[in-house]
Amino acid sequence: MSEFPAAQRSGLRLFELYREGALEPSGIAELLDLRCPEVEEGRIVFTAKSRRDFANPLGMLHGGIAATLLDSAMGCAVHTTLPAGMVYTSLDISVRYIRAGAVDGGELRAEGRVVHRGRKIRTAEATLTDEQGRVLATATSSLMIMAAPSSHPASDAAAESEAAA
C-alpha cells in the first residue's frame, strides 16, 4: 500500500472524515485553515476566513490565495471520485478573476465540481465567492489520474541520506 496517507482510503471517505472532524487538516488545508462543510462524489466545498495575511500589496485578496482555494476545490472534487490507491495531479489551471476580494475576516467559499470523468484525465471547475455570495473568481482544470506511488519521494530521500551517512 502507498505511503501517501490520502491514498489509503477512497477520496470520498477521506473528505467525509475531514468534514466530520475525524481527520486533522494538513498541508495547505492547515496553512489556510480550510473547512469542508459539504462533500459528495464529484463535488466539494471549502471555506476559509479571509485575513490580513491573505492580502496583496493593495490590501485586497491576493490572486494566489484565490487560485489556491480554487485549485484545492477542483483537485479535491476529483479526489472524491477516486478509489483507494489512486492519486491525481493537476495538468493545468485557468483562473478568471471577476472582482477584488476583501481581507476583512469574511468567509470565502470555494466550490469544486467534476465536469468530466475520463479514465486517465478528469476536468473540473470551481467558483470562489465571498460572504455575500458575490463571485470573486472562477477556474477550470485538467487533472491526470494514476496509481499512487509505492513510496513518498521525501521518504526515499531520507532513506538515501541515512544510507550515505
Side-chain angles (χ1 to χ4, degrees):
M1 181 56 84
S2 169
E3 290 183 32
F4 288 91
Q8 295 177 357
R9 54 178 56 95
S10 76
L12 181 58
R13 185 64 187 136
L14 175 80
F15 288 106
E16 287 171 339
L17 291 169
Y18 179 53
R19 177 193 63 205
E20 295 162 7
L23 289 179
E24 291 295 317
S26 62
I28 198 70
E30 182 178 16
L31 181 67
L32 299 180
D33 195 24
L34 294 183
R35 305 291 178 222
C36 178
E38 300 174 39
V39 63
E40 60 190 72
E41 187 171 324
R43 182 181 163 273
I44 196 162
V45 173
F46 286 123
T47 60
K49 293 289 185 185
S50 67
R51 53 187 202 241
R52 289 184 52 191
D53 58 338
F54 286 6
N56 63 22
L58 300 173
M60 302 305 294
L61 182 67
H62 192 285
I65 297 291
T68 299
L69 291 167
L70 292 162
D71 184 49
S72 296
M74 291 183 293
C76 293
V78 166
H79 195 164
T80 67
T81 68
L82 299 180
M86 299 299 288
V87 296
Y88 66 92
T89 189
S90 298
L91 295 173
D92 61 43
I93 179 174
S94 177
V95 178
R96 284 157 303 288
Y97 299 98
I98 310 298
R99 71 170 38 90
V103 289
D104 58 1
E107 185 174 84
L108 300 169
R109 182 180 193 272
E111 180 176 350
R113 297 163 300 282
V114 174
V115 175
H116 174 74
R117 295 182 193 205
R119 189 171 54 83
K120 296 214 178 223
I121 305 292
R122 304 218 172 152
T123 56
E125 62 185 12
T127 304
L128 179 66
T129 56
D130 65 12
E131 199 165 81
Q132 288 74 38
R134 294 177 297 209
V135 176
L136 303 178
T138 62
T140 56
S141 183
S142 300
L143 302 101
M144 182 170 54
I145 309 304
M146 63 197 126
S150 59
S151 65
H152 192 282
S155 298
D156 292 345
E160 289 174 12
S161 293
E162 288 177 19

